[in-house]
Amino acid sequence: NNNYLNHHPSIMLYRASGRCFLTLVVFGFIISVGLCFSFSWSPARHSGWTDPLSSITKTDIIRLWDKKTNSGGEEEMIALLQSHHLLDHKPDNLVLKGGKYKLRGVACLGRPGMALCIGPPKAHARFKAALESAMPQKRFKQTILEGSSDAAVQDFQDFTQVDSLGEFRAILASIDQESEFWAATGISEDSSKKNTNSGDNAICDEGKSNKKAKRKRK
């Protein structure tokens, strides 16, 4: 009878389930002990371990956020784009559309026509290529501006237009790049100061006379 009971299917199933239950209890105990140990262990207490985020300052976070929001995480470039003359008609006024190419900055029609462009290098390249394609008879010169005032550059949120070269010069002066204006227009700073009362027309006339003199020398 004992042999019969030992081999009865129901008895064997009962014993097997008991063993499984005991095994689960043991494994559960081992896992719970391991979890308790892992939660109680702090990496900061471990000698020789430092938190890699601890060296990031609030200023760094702000700079990273500004860079991401302004240019999709890409490095920004500041450049001055100019041509001999860009007037208020098509296709010249395409220079006012830098915003379509994901650039920030300001542009001014006139003689010369100029644009201060801020954005990813690829956006600069696309904008310059579009201008050259629309006006193949014109030459567009690009000057990369280094040492600009970061705080002033961050103030540019859109691509806008100013009505005069005098305003454009003031904007370049605000980012510590006024010297680039004199170099681009061929105007001497001293002569501009003498003609301060004459306004922007004096700047334009000075630029024209300098360019005529250069042509005569050639």
Side-chain angles (χ1 to χ4, degrees):
N1 290 335
N2 289 335
N3 190 33
Y4 172 77
L5 291 174
N6 288 335
H7 293 85
H8 194 275
S10 60
I11 299 298
M12 294 177 67
L13 180 62
Y14 174 75
R15 289 176 178 173
S17 61
R19 293 191 190 97
C20 290
F21 177 75
L22 182 61
T23 303
L24 290 173
V25 170
V26 172
F27 273 109
F29 176 75
I30 294 172
I31 292 172
S32 61
V33 170
L35 289 174
C36 290
F37 176 77
S38 63
F39 284 131
S40 63
W41 182 80
S42 173
R45 298 173 189 170
H46 191 275
S47 60
W49 188 91
T50 56
D51 186 354
L53 298 179
S54 62
S55 60
I56 298 180
T57 64
K58 183 179 179 181
T59 303
D60 293 330
I61 293 172
I62 292 173
R63 286 175 180 168
L64 289 170
W65 175 254
D66 285 342
K67 186 179 290 185
K68 185 175 181 180
T69 54
N70 288 335
S71 60
E74 296 182 75
E75 291 289 342
E76 287 195 330
M77 184 175 83
I78 306 168
L80 183 63
L81 191 63
Q82 67 180 94
S83 186
H84 175 265
H85 65 277
L86 295 171
L87 307 180
D88 192 11
H89 57 71
K90 292 183 179 180
D92 290 28
N93 52 17
L94 179 61
V95 76
L96 306 176
K97 306 296 182 182
K100 292 177 61 176
Y101 297 86
K102 297 183 179 180
L103 291 171
R104 298 178 290 121
V106 61
C108 178
L109 298 172
R111 301 175 185 271
M114 308 177 77
L116 174 67
C117 304
I118 306 164
K122 290 181 180 179
H124 282 268
R126 286 195 297 267
F127 185 43
K128 185 171 182 286
L131 292 171
E132 291 172 335
S133 176
M135 294 169 274
Q137 76 281 9
K138 295 183 185 291
R139 178 175 175 268
F140 288 89
K141 179 183 177 182
Q142 184 184 64
T143 304
I144 298 175
L145 305 182
E146 298 179 352
S148 301
S149 169
D150 292 337
V153 168
Q154 291 302 326
D155 290 338
F156 292 97
Q157 299 301 322
D158 301 303
F159 200 92
T160 57
Q161 177 186 3
V162 293
D163 296 326
S164 67
L165 285 173
E167 290 179 85
F168 193 85
R169 178 191 62 77
I171 288 173
L172 287 181
S174 71
I175 62 170
D176 303 328
Q177 295 291 346
E178 187 177 14
S179 60
E180 293 295 339
F181 176 83
W182 307 124
T185 57
I187 305 170
S188 65
E189 185 175 358
D190 293 336
S191 63
S192 177
K193 288 178 180 178
K194 293 177 183 177
N195 295 323
T196 300
N197 295 329
S198 301
D200 297 321
N201 290 330
I203 292 179
C204 294
D205 293 340
E206 175 72 13
K208 290 177 185 176
S209 62
N210 286 345
K211 287 175 182 176
K212 288 180 180 177
K214 288 180 182 178
R215 290 195 196 101
K216 289 180 180 178
R217 293 192 199 106
K218 291 179 181 178

PDB file of all heavy atoms in Angstrom, residues 123-140:
ATOM      1  N   ALA A 123      23.781  76.838 -42.780  1.00  0.00           N
ATOM      2  CA  ALA A 123      22.776  77.834 -43.140  1.00  0.00           C
ATOM      3  C   ALA A 123      23.428  79.019 -43.855  1.00  0.00           C
ATOM      4  O   ALA A 123      22.874  79.562 -44.821  1.00  0.00           O
ATOM      5  CB  ALA A 123      22.033  78.305 -41.886  1.00  0.00           C
ATOM      6  N   HIS A 124      24.611  79.426 -43.395  1.00  0.00           N
ATOM      7  CA  HIS A 124      25.354  80.493 -44.065  1.00  0.00           C
ATOM      8  C   HIS A 124      25.648  80.108 -45.514  1.00  0.00           C
ATOM      9  O   HIS A 124      25.478  80.922 -46.438  1.00  0.00           O
ATOM     10  CB  HIS A 124      26.684  80.750 -43.340  1.00  0.00           C
ATOM     11  CG  HIS A 124      26.550  81.545 -42.083  1.00  0.00           C
ATOM     12  ND1 HIS A 124      26.656  82.916 -42.051  1.00  0.00           N
ATOM     13  CD2 HIS A 124      26.320  81.161 -40.798  1.00  0.00           C
ATOM     14  CE1 HIS A 124      26.512  83.348 -40.808  1.00  0.00           C
ATOM     15  NE2 HIS A 124      26.306  82.297 -40.031  1.00  0.00           N
ATOM     16  N   ALA A 125      26.107  78.872 -45.705  1.00  0.00           N
ATOM     17  CA  ALA A 125      26.477  78.403 -47.042  1.00  0.00           C
ATOM     18  C   ALA A 125      25.264  78.380 -47.972  1.00  0.00           C
ATOM     19  O   ALA A 125      25.351  78.775 -49.144  1.00  0.00           O
ATOM     20  CB  ALA A 125      27.112  77.014 -46.947  1.00  0.00           C
ATOM     21  N   ARG A 126      24.113  77.919 -47.443  1.00  0.00           N
ATOM     22  CA  ARG A 126      22.898  77.860 -48.265  1.00  0.00           C
ATOM     23  C   ARG A 126      22.429  79.260 -48.660  1.00  0.00           C
ATOM     24  O   ARG A 126      22.008  79.490 -49.803  1.00  0.00           O
ATOM     25  CB  ARG A 126      21.798  77.117 -47.519  1.00  0.00           C
ATOM     26  CG  ARG A 126      21.996  75.604 -47.453  1.00  0.00           C
ATOM     27  CD  ARG A 126      20.717  74.905 -47.024  1.00  0.00           C
ATOM     28  NE  ARG A 126      20.317  75.297 -45.680  1.00  0.00           N
ATOM     29  CZ  ARG A 126      20.659  74.639 -44.576  1.00  0.00           C
ATOM     30  NH1 ARG A 126      21.418  73.561 -44.668  1.00  0.00           N
ATOM     31  NH2 ARG A 126      20.245  75.042 -43.386  1.00  0.00           N
ATOM     32  N   PHE A 127      22.503  80.205 -47.725  1.00  0.00           N
ATOM     33  CA  PHE A 127      22.048  81.567 -47.997  1.00  0.00           C
ATOM     34  C   PHE A 127      22.944  82.236 -49.048  1.00  0.00           C
ATOM     35  O   PHE A 127      22.448  82.841 -50.009  1.00  0.00           O
ATOM     36  CB  PHE A 127      22.065  82.368 -46.692  1.00  0.00           C
ATOM     37  CG  PHE A 127      21.494  83.757 -46.805  1.00  0.00           C
ATOM     38  CD1 PHE A 127      20.332  83.995 -47.527  1.00  0.00           C
ATOM     39  CD2 PHE A 127      22.120  84.835 -46.183  1.00  0.00           C
ATOM     40  CE1 PHE A 127      19.793  85.269 -47.635  1.00  0.00           C
ATOM     41  CE2 PHE A 127      21.589  86.111 -46.273  1.00  0.00           C
ATOM     42  CZ  PHE A 127      20.423  86.331 -47.009  1.00  0.00           C
ATOM     43  N   LYS A 128      24.242  82.108 -48.894  1.00  0.00           N
ATOM     44  CA  LYS A 128      25.180  82.704 -49.849  1.00  0.00           C
ATOM     45  C   LYS A 128      25.011  82.069 -51.233  1.00  0.00           C
ATOM     46  O   LYS A 128      25.038  82.765 -52.258  1.00  0.00           O
ATOM     47  CB  LYS A 128      26.618  82.522 -49.359  1.00  0.00           C
ATOM     48  CG  LYS A 128      27.679  83.222 -50.213  1.00  0.00           C
ATOM     49  CD  LYS A 128      29.025  83.150 -49.517  1.00  0.00           C
ATOM     50  CE  LYS A 128      30.101  83.891 -50.316  1.00  0.00           C
ATOM     51  NZ  LYS A 128      30.504  83.140 -51.501  1.00  0.00           N
ATOM     52  N   ALA A 129      24.803  80.751 -51.267  1.00  0.00           N
ATOM     53  CA  ALA A 129      24.604  80.065 -52.544  1.00  0.00           C
ATOM     54  C   ALA A 129      23.326  80.538 -53.225  1.00  0.00           C
ATOM     55  O   ALA A 129      23.278  80.693 -54.457  1.00  0.00           O
ATOM     56  CB  ALA A 129      24.563  78.557 -52.326  1.00  0.00           C
ATOM     57  N   ALA A 130      22.271  80.788 -52.446  1.00  0.00           N
ATOM     58  CA  ALA A 130      21.008  81.257 -53.006  1.00  0.00           C
ATOM     59  C   ALA A 130      21.163  82.653 -53.612  1.00  0.00           C
ATOM     60  O   ALA A 130      20.632  82.944 -54.688  1.00  0.00           O
ATOM     61  CB  ALA A 130      19.928  81.270 -51.924  1.00  0.00           C
ATOM     62  N   LEU A 131      21.909  83.523 -52.922  1.00  0.00           N
ATOM     63  CA  LEU A 131      22.145  84.870 -53.436  1.00  0.00           C
ATOM     64  C   LEU A 131      22.964  84.832 -54.720  1.00  0.00           C
ATOM     65  O   LEU A 131      22.657  85.531 -55.699  1.00  0.00           O
ATOM     66  CB  LEU A 131      22.872  85.708 -52.379  1.00  0.00           C
ATOM     67  CG  LEU A 131      22.068  86.056 -51.117  1.00  0.00           C
ATOM     68  CD1 LEU A 131      22.984  86.688 -50.065  1.00  0.00           C
ATOM     69  CD2 LEU A 131      20.913  86.990 -51.444  1.00  0.00           C
ATOM     70  N   GLU A 132      24.000  84.006 -54.735  1.00  0.00           N
ATOM     71  CA  GLU A 132      24.852  83.907 -55.928  1.00  0.00           C
ATOM     72  C   GLU A 132      24.096  83.300 -57.102  1.00  0.00           C
ATOM     73  O   GLU A 132      24.324  83.660 -58.257  1.00  0.00           O
ATOM     74  CB  GLU A 132      26.094  83.082 -55.602  1.00  0.00           C
ATOM     75  CG  GLU A 132      27.046  83.796 -54.646  1.00  0.00           C
ATOM     76  CD  GLU A 132      28.182  82.917 -54.174  1.00  0.00           C
ATOM     77  OE1 GLU A 132      28.010  81.671 -54.175  1.00  0.00           O
ATOM     78  OE2 GLU A 132      29.223  83.466 -53.792  1.00  0.00           O
ATOM     79  N   SER A 133      23.175  82.382 -56.811  1.00  0.00           N
ATOM     80  CA  SER A 133      22.386  81.769 -57.871  1.00  0.00           C
ATOM     81  C   SER A 133      21.382  82.762 -58.452  1.00  0.00           C
ATOM     82  O   SER A 133      21.160  82.795 -59.669  1.00  0.00           O
ATOM     83  CB  SER A 133      21.650  80.539 -57.327  1.00  0.00           C
ATOM     84  OG  SER A 133      20.806  79.979 -58.307  1.00  0.00           O
ATOM     85  N   ALA A 134      20.771  83.572 -57.587  1.00  0.00           N
ATOM     86  CA  ALA A 134      19.776  84.552 -58.037  1.00  0.00           C
ATOM     87  C   ALA A 134      20.427  85.745 -58.735  1.00  0.00           C
ATOM     88  O   ALA A 134      19.823  86.377 -59.604  1.00  0.00           O
ATOM     89  CB  ALA A 134      18.949  85.037 -56.854  1.00  0.00           C
ATOM     90  N   MET A 135      21.682  86.058 -58.351  1.00  0.00           N
ATOM     91  CA  MET A 135      22.382  87.224 -58.928  1.00  0.00           C
ATOM     92  C   MET A 135      23.794  86.839 -59.342  1.00  0.00           C
ATOM     93  O   MET A 135      24.789  87.233 -58.703  1.00  0.00           O
ATOM     94  CB  MET A 135      22.414  88.357 -57.885  1.00  0.00           C
ATOM     95  CG  MET A 135      21.039  88.918 -57.556  1.00  0.00           C
ATOM     96  SD  MET A 135      21.039  90.022 -56.118  1.00  0.00           S
ATOM     97  CE  MET A 135      20.847  88.808 -54.783  1.00  0.00           C
ATOM     98  N   PRO A 136      23.925  86.037 -60.376  1.00  0.00           N
ATOM     99  CA  PRO A 136      25.264  85.566 -60.784  1.00  0.00           C
ATOM    100  C   PRO A 136      26.192  86.685 -61.242  1.00  0.00           C
ATOM    101  O   PRO A 136      27.409  86.502 -61.270  1.00  0.00           O
ATOM    102  CB  PRO A 136      24.946  84.592 -61.937  1.00  0.00           C
ATOM    103  CG  PRO A 136      23.603  85.018 -62.430  1.00  0.00           C
ATOM    104  CD  PRO A 136      22.867  85.524 -61.246  1.00  0.00           C
ATOM    105  N   GLN A 137      25.628  87.836 -61.610  1.00  0.00           N
ATOM    106  CA  GLN A 137      26.451  88.958 -62.055  1.00  0.00           C
ATOM    107  C   GLN A 137      27.089  89.718 -60.902  1.00  0.00           C
ATOM    108  O   GLN A 137      27.997  90.536 -61.104  1.00  0.00           O
ATOM    109  CB  GLN A 137      25.610  89.927 -62.899  1.00  0.00           C
ATOM    110  CG  GLN A 137      24.663  90.827 -62.113  1.00  0.00           C
ATOM    111  CD  GLN A 137      23.377  90.116 -61.672  1.00  0.00           C
ATOM    112  OE1 GLN A 137      23.252  88.896 -61.807  1.00  0.00           O
ATOM    113  NE2 GLN A 137      22.422  90.885 -61.178  1.00  0.00           N
ATOM    114  N   LYS A 138      26.633  89.457 -59.676  1.00  0.00           N
ATOM    115  CA  LYS A 138      27.163  90.154 -58.509  1.00  0.00           C
ATOM    116  C   LYS A 138      28.156  89.266 -57.757  1.00  0.00           C
ATOM    117  O   LYS A 138      28.059  88.044 -57.803  1.00  0.00           O
ATOM    118  CB  LYS A 138      26.028  90.564 -57.561  1.00  0.00           C
ATOM    119  CG  LYS A 138      25.052  91.583 -58.148  1.00  0.00           C
ATOM    120  CD  LYS A 138      24.010  91.967 -57.117  1.00  0.00           C
ATOM    121  CE  LYS A 138      22.951  92.889 -57.686  1.00  0.00           C
ATOM    122  NZ  LYS A 138      23.480  94.235 -58.006  1.00  0.00           N
ATOM    123  N   ARG A 139      29.063  89.913 -57.059  1.00  0.00           N
ATOM    124  CA  ARG A 139      30.022  89.190 -56.225  1.00  0.00           C
ATOM    125  C   ARG A 139      29.644  89.382 -54.771  1.00  0.00           C
ATOM    126  O   ARG A 139      29.456  90.511 -54.304  1.00  0.00           O
ATOM    127  CB  ARG A 139      31.442  89.717 -56.469  1.00  0.00           C
ATOM    128  CG  ARG A 139      32.507  89.046 -55.601  1.00  0.00           C
ATOM    129  CD  ARG A 139      33.882  89.533 -56.001  1.00  0.00           C
ATOM    130  NE  ARG A 139      34.918  89.000 -55.108  1.00  0.00           N
ATOM    131  CZ  ARG A 139      35.353  89.620 -54.025  1.00  0.00           C
ATOM    132  NH1 ARG A 139      34.845  90.806 -53.683  1.00  0.00           N
ATOM    133  NH2 ARG A 139      36.296  89.079 -53.269  1.00  0.00           N
ATOM    134  N   PHE A 140      29.528  88.292 -54.039  1.00  0.00           N
ATOM    135  CA  PHE A 140      29.181  88.341 -52.616  1.00  0.00           C
ATOM    136  C   PHE A 140      30.397  87.917 -51.798  1.00  0.00           C
ATOM    137  O   PHE A 140      30.932  86.825 -51.974  1.00  0.00           O
ATOM    138  CB  PHE A 140      27.994  87.427 -52.317  1.00  0.00           C
ATOM    139  CG  PHE A 140      26.689  87.954 -52.852  1.00  0.00           C
ATOM    140  CD1 PHE A 140      26.278  87.648 -54.139  1.00  0.00           C
ATOM    141  CD2 PHE A 140      25.897  88.786 -52.074  1.00  0.00           C
ATOM    142  CE1 PHE A 140      25.087  88.143 -54.643  1.00  0.00           C
ATOM    143  CE2 PHE A 140      24.703  89.288 -52.564  1.00  0.00           C
ATOM    144  CZ  PHE A 140      24.297  88.974 -53.854  1.00  0.00           C
TER     145      PHE A 140
END
